[in-house]
């Protein structure tokens, strides 16, 4: 595994991001016979997993329970057995000159839309500015946490307000104490896990406050991280003011109504010296957008087809930069699909050039059909992915997440006035990403657009239709 690259090097597949998704994509592309490099801005591979010292990883991918660092190390060890070039401490500036080169004083050509154009990735490395060429690029940059400025909490600006992930890094990697008495806003998984972590370290956790009337994290984390440690979860409650001058002294919390607006007269002040925010994740797609990649406004990730390729030919997306996953195992599995598809695309590009260079690619590039199917979400489905299906000859898995929990709802797939499939009523939760297969027979009944919806069932006696 090489740590260096020449000033200008040509690869079949370039992977941006060295977390579980990036490593999964790189390993899969390399196994398909492609020449691969992975670019990571940090000093080490592993991404966020390096600071996730709790167990619960690996049950799907490695068939055993691991901590985050153990899961990452398994992938790193596999990388060491390959010829994948690893470029750490390397920051990607742009893809195909997509705007970011301006900061370096470099002329930026317009992104190419040639289906088999070679992509150029500009980077700043310990050795200076470098450019790497590749037939395929896999985006695996992960996501970042929403901050106080993005949720607009009123009040002063004292020290002591952290995102949950930053506090996790301080404790687990830097061995620093962010405070002594904590309030946590948001019941996302990282907030729940940090509540437990703080309790284990002997800090006082006053409670977890959630704006919605339900927890946003997995049920197992609510049970294992809050209930088992006696940490209260306050639903339909949010922080409405931050109090303190140099250091946080207290927060004001208020109940909210059905429109999520604070209810006057319900305010109470909670003394604390640290507030942790676990209020959502945002895919890191600035480089993607600059390269011409279209984003889905619902996921804030790229719009992709069934092979995880974006609207820019040869650029693929996977993992949390595409849509937020519950489990690292799922992100890795998705990335393996993207890596194999990227290797296949590179192989077909080389064939068109008359110089095939990755003969072992074992994923056939999807044929472009005369009519692509667009996929849209409906009902309480928050999104459906992929957004475009260009190959209806093979089974396609649709991934989705609902916007709110419902005890009795059913999946409905339709195209225009044609109902293609209706499932049986069951419960759905927004904390769980789910999938549903679309068979070629189902897709043959669609024209133009497939609407995937999760619809609440009001009449318990209504029979459910089976797949046609």
């Amino acid at each position: 595994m090489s740590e260096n690259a020449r000033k200008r090097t040509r690869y079949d597949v370039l992977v941006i991001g060295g977390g579980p998704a990036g490593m999964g994509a790189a390993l899969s592309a390399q196994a398909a016979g492609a020449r691969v490099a992975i670019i990571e801005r940090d000093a080490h591979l592993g991404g966020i997993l390096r600071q996730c010292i709790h167990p619960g990883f690996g049950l799907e991918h490695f068939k055993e329970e691991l901590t985050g660092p153990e899961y990452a190390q398994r992938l790193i060890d596999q990388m060491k057995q390959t010829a994948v070039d690893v470029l750490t401490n390397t920051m990607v500036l742009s893809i195909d000159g997509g705007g970011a080169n301006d900061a370096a004083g470099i002329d930026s050509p317009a992104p190419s839309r040639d289906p088999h154009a070679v992509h150029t990735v500009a980077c700043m490395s310990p050795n200076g500015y470098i450019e790497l060429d590749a037939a395929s690029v896999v985006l695996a940059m992960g996501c970042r946490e929403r901050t106080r400025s993005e949720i607009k909490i009123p009040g002063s600006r004292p020290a002591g307000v952290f995102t949950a992930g930053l506090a996790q890094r301080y404790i687990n990697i830097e061995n620093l104490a962010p405070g002594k008495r904590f309030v946590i806003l948001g019941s996302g998984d990282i907030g729940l896990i940090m509540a437990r972590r703080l309790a284990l370290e002997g800090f006082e956790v006053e409670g977890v406050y959630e704006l919605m009337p339900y927890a946003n994290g997995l049920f197992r984390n609510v049970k294992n991280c809050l209930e088992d440690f006696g940490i209260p979860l306050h639903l339909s409650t949010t922080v409405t003011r931050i109090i303190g001058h140099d250091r946080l002294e207290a927060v004001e919390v208020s109940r909210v109504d059905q429109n999520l607006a604070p209810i006057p007269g319900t305010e109470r002040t909670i003394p604390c010296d640290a507030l942790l925010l676990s209020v959502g994740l945002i895919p890191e797609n600035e480089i993607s957008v600059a390269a011409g990649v279209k984003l889905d406004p619902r996921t804030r990730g790229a719009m992709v087809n069934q092979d995880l390729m974006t609207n820019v030919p040869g650029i693929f997306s996977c993992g949390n930069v595409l849509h937020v996953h519950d489990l690292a195992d799922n992100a890795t599995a998705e990335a393996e699909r993207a890596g194999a598809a990227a290797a296949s695309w590179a192989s077909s590009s080389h064939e068109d050039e008359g110089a095939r260079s990755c003969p072992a690619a074992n994923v056939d590039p999807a044929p472009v059909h005369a009519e692509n199917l667009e996929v849209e979400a409906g009902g309480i489905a928050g999104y459906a992915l992929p957004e475009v299906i260009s190959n209806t000859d093979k089974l396609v898995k649709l991934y989705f997440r609902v916007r709110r929990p419902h005890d009795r709802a059913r999946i409905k797939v339709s195209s225009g006035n044609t109902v293609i499939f209706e499932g049986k009523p069951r419960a759905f939760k927004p904390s769980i990403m789910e999938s549903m297969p679309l068979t070629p027979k189902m897709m043959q009944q669609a024209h133009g657009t497939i609407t995937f919806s999760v619809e609440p069932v009001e009449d318990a006696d209504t029979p459910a239709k089976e797949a046609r």
Side-chain angles (χ1 to χ4, degrees):
M1 181 170 66
S2 170
E3 290 288 342
N4 299 308
R6 297 190 302 275
K7 285 288 182 180
R8 184 110 188 195
T9 308
R10 170 73 181 264
Y11 293 95
D12 297 320
V13 178
L14 274 175
V15 179
I16 304 175
M23 288 190 284
L27 288 166
S28 179
Q30 198 276 335
R35 187 184 181 201
V36 184
I38 186 169
I39 305 169
E40 169 56 47
R41 65 186 176 188
D42 207 345
H44 308 279
L45 295 176
I48 196 67
L49 294 184
R50 296 178 59 244
Q51 67 187 51
C52 300
I53 66 173
H54 52 277
F57 299 88
L59 292 169
E60 293 290 331
H61 194 73
F62 292 110
K63 308 305 178 187
E64 62 178 297
E65 188 172 40
L66 305 169
T67 65
E70 288 172 334
Y71 186 98
Q73 192 60 50
R74 291 284 182 95
L75 293 174
I76 292 169
D77 290 344
Q78 291 179 9
M79 294 278 290
K80 289 179 179 178
Q81 304 303 315
T82 72
V84 174
D85 283 344
V86 177
L87 290 82
T88 53
N89 286 316
T90 300
M91 175 70 75
V92 173
L93 302 176
S94 68
I95 303 170
D96 298 331
N101 278 349
D102 297 341
I106 300 166
D107 292 335
S108 298
S112 173
R113 287 298 177 270
D114 180 350
H116 295 292
V118 173
H119 295 288
T120 299
V121 177
C123 310
M124 190 60 70
S125 75
N127 297 322
Y129 177 84
I130 59 173
E131 290 184 345
L132 306 173
D133 295 331
S136 300
V137 175
V138 179
L139 307 173
M141 294 88 71
C143 53
R144 64 176 181 268
E145 295 176 279
R146 294 177 71 199
T147 63
R148 174 190 175 181
S149 63
E150 289 168 306
I151 60 174
K152 298 179 173 58
I153 304 176
S156 55
R157 299 181 62 84
V161 180
F162 307 91
T163 61
L166 178 59
Q168 185 183 56
R169 179 180 178 87
Y170 280 158
I171 293 172
N172 293 347
I173 292 183
E174 308 294 345
N175 196 32
L176 298 173
K180 296 180 180 179
R181 180 180 169 88
F182 291 80
V183 167
I184 299 176
L185 176 61
S187 61
D189 287 315
I190 189 171
L192 302 177
I193 289 166
M194 278 306 297
R196 176 180 63 184
R197 185 77 180 105
L198 293 167
L200 288 170
E201 288 293 334
F203 298 116
E204 183 179 357
V205 182
E206 195 282 335
V208 175
Y209 294 82
E210 170 56 55
L211 176 71
M212 304 304 291
Y214 52 84
N216 275 305
L218 295 171
F219 173 77
R220 72 180 191 191
N221 286 330
V222 175
K223 175 69 171 63
N224 297 342
C225 300
L226 298 188
E227 294 178 8
D228 288 357
F229 286 82
I231 299 171
L233 172 62
H234 305 273
L235 301 176
S236 297
T237 309
T238 191
V239 173
T240 48
R241 188 161 62 100
I242 291 174
I243 302 167
H245 186 261
D246 295 326
R247 177 78 193 192
L248 181 66
E249 298 173 5
V251 296
E252 178 189 88
V253 299
S254 303
R255 297 278 296 170
V256 299
D257 59 23
Q258 60 184 5
N259 297 317
L260 307 183
I263 301 173
T266 64
E267 305 90 348
R268 61 189 180 95
T269 300
I270 303 170
C272 61
D273 64 356
L275 171 66
L276 303 192
L277 304 178
S278 177
V279 290
L281 301 169
I282 300 173
E284 296 233 48
N285 271 307
E286 288 74 15
I287 290 172
S288 313
V289 172
V293 172
K294 292 182 180 178
L295 301 188
D296 184 331
R298 297 191 182 208
T299 62
R300 301 178 75 167
M303 298 181 69
V304 296
N305 69 6
Q306 72 284 342
D307 293 322
L308 302 174
M309 188 164 73
T310 70
N311 63 294
V312 181
I315 296 184
F316 299 78
S317 183
C318 60
N320 281 351
V321 79
L322 178 60
H323 57 142
V324 177
H325 290 67
D326 312 323
L327 304 173
D329 303 62
N330 293 342
T332 303
E334 179 178 86
E336 289 176 337
R337 290 174 46 220
S344 177
W345 180 268
S347 176
S348 65
S349 297
H350 293 318
E351 284 185 321
D352 288 348
E353 294 170 5
R356 183 180 177 93
S357 73
C358 57
N362 54 18
V363 177
D364 295 329
V368 178
H369 286 224
E371 181 187 37
N372 288 342
L373 293 177
E374 295 186 1
V375 180
E376 62 179 19
I380 62 171
Y383 69 88
L385 185 148
E387 292 86 355
V388 177
I389 300 174
S390 59
N391 179 4
T392 60
D393 296 336
K394 296 181 181 180
L395 184 144
V396 173
K397 264 194 175 183
L398 275 183
Y399 292 86
F400 68 96
R401 194 186 295 267
V402 295
R403 290 182 284 109
R404 63 179 184 273
H406 205 286
D407 290 334
R408 281 182 58 81
R410 64 159 58 104
I411 291 173
K412 180 179 178 181
V413 180
S414 60
S415 181
N417 294 324
T418 302
V419 177
I420 299 171
F421 172 85
E422 278 188 352
K424 295 180 180 180
R426 63 179 179 87
F428 292 87
K429 294 182 179 180
S431 59
I432 300 174
M433 184 181 73
E434 302 193 49
S435 66
M436 180 207 156
L438 285 180
T439 65
K441 184 177 180 180
M442 294 166 68
M443 290 183 282
Q444 287 167 9
Q445 301 178 59
H447 299 281
T449 300
I450 286 180
T451 301
F452 174 87
S453 59
V454 179
E455 301 185 350
V457 176
E458 303 300 337
D459 183 1
D461 297 325
T462 301
K465 293 182 182 179
E466 300 298 333
R468 296 183 178 180

